[in-house]
Amino acid sequence: MTGERECHRKGRQPKWKREGTARPTRSGPDPADVWTRETMRSVRPLPLPSHPGLRPASSEGEHPGTLTLAAPPRRLHLPTGRPSVWLLTVDQQNPAALRASPGLLSESERAEHGVLPDGTARDRFAATQAGLRLLLSACTGSPPDSLTVSHARCPRCAVPHGLSAGTAEPVFFSVARHGGLILYALARTPVGAGLSTWQDDAPAANETARSAARWQAYMRSAPPERCTARRVGEPPRSLSYAAVPDRHAAAVVRTELR
């Protein structure tokens, strides 16, 4: 149709309109003759697209530790080259420890906790923040309520990524929650956690949930101020899946800064 574009550009009608004939059609082979079953079998499939620099961390995956508010870890050493992953279930917490959890929060977190309606939402918020502060306290040795913890969303992409605790040696963390199930990931480099679930019994439901969790973790693992960096210059990231209860999928992505 290049000739028609040239005619329109010069303000003239194309030849087939001037002569009152039918509009010409594109010439070429019939796709049904080209893409037969035999030719389709002979075509070499292209690899599926993937995130640049995202590689599996290990074949075993992550086995999260069980976090309880009544008996948190006293000292936590972050391993080199991999994240520390923990799982907290709100419904399984000691009621007394759950009631005392707001005392571990910062002043701003307690204010946010106070405006929530009584019941499940308030308990889940307090348990999520208290569990995070207990883990960070075990990493740093500082009291839970004295830590400066960043929860701000990125002004560029609105994703909470590159979050860290204000300590001498940075501890990066990410929190993913679905209902009363809370997933924590901590590392010495930016890390992201993703948690998803599925309800139906479709064959692809599990993989769809894993894909959603993987995408959450990938977005949250971006280093600070690097969420809009060119993909060519992105640092490599490692992906691992975490063992979680049935009908849930969890993924953890850690940025490997040089």
Side-chain angles (χ1 to χ4, degrees):
M1 297 301 175
T2 306
E4 286 194 21
R5 295 195 188 99
E6 185 68 16
C7 290
H8 286 303
R9 189 179 67 83
K10 295 181 178 180
R12 297 186 304 178
Q13 288 187 338
K15 183 178 179 180
W16 65 272
K17 279 190 176 182
R18 295 197 306 269
E19 296 179 353
T21 59
R23 184 174 184 175
T25 58
R26 292 178 180 267
S27 61
D30 186 354
D33 296 333
V34 177
W35 294 108
T36 62
R37 292 184 178 180
E38 289 73 18
T39 57
M40 291 178 69
R41 289 195 194 101
S42 65
V43 175
R44 185 177 180 180
L46 295 174
L48 293 175
S50 60
H51 298 300
L54 185 60
R55 62 177 183 81
S58 64
S59 58
E60 297 84 7
E62 299 291 343
H63 296 278
T66 301
L67 177 62
T68 58
L69 299 177
R74 294 183 178 274
R75 190 63 181 166
L76 183 60
H77 173 70
L78 294 181
T80 303
R82 64 183 306 173
S84 178
V85 185
W86 293 80
L87 203 62
L88 183 148
T89 305
V90 177
D91 297 339
Q92 298 177 1
Q93 300 304 307
N94 181 289
L98 196 59
R99 289 192 298 270
S101 59
L104 302 175
L105 309 186
S106 65
E107 184 176 350
S108 61
E109 290 170 341
R110 284 196 294 269
E112 186 174 353
H113 174 264
V115 299
L116 293 174
D118 291 334
T120 305
R122 181 175 288 194
D123 289 344
R124 288 177 177 176
F125 176 85
T128 301
Q129 303 308 120
L132 173 62
R133 288 184 170 274
L134 288 171
L135 290 174
L136 293 174
S137 175
C139 289
T140 62
S142 302
D145 56 350
S146 67
L147 292 168
T148 302
V149 182
S150 168
H151 295 288
R153 292 180 176 269
C154 175
R156 296 183 179 180
C157 64
V159 172
H161 66 80
L163 302 180
S164 62
T167 55
E169 189 175 0
V171 178
F172 292 90
F173 67 87
S174 183
V175 181
R177 190 183 76 185
H178 192 281
L181 189 66
I182 307 165
L183 178 71
Y184 302 93
L186 300 93
R188 292 297 180 188
T189 57
V191 65
L195 186 62
S196 184
T197 186
W198 73 93
Q199 300 298 332
D200 56 25
D201 295 322
N206 182 18
E207 183 54 38
T208 301
R210 292 186 78 180
S211 177
R214 184 171 63 244
W215 179 250
Q216 292 176 24
Y218 181 81
M219 292 297 293
R220 293 171 178 173
S221 67
E225 304 298 328
R226 295 288 298 276
C227 56
T228 57
R230 294 176 60 88
R231 291 198 168 189
V232 176
E234 280 191 356
R237 308 185 201 186
S238 59
L239 164 70
S240 56
Y241 294 99
V244 287
D246 191 27
R247 291 190 177 272
H248 287 82
V252 178
V253 175
R254 186 183 65 87
T255 301
E256 301 176 5
L257 296 179
R258 296 185 179 91

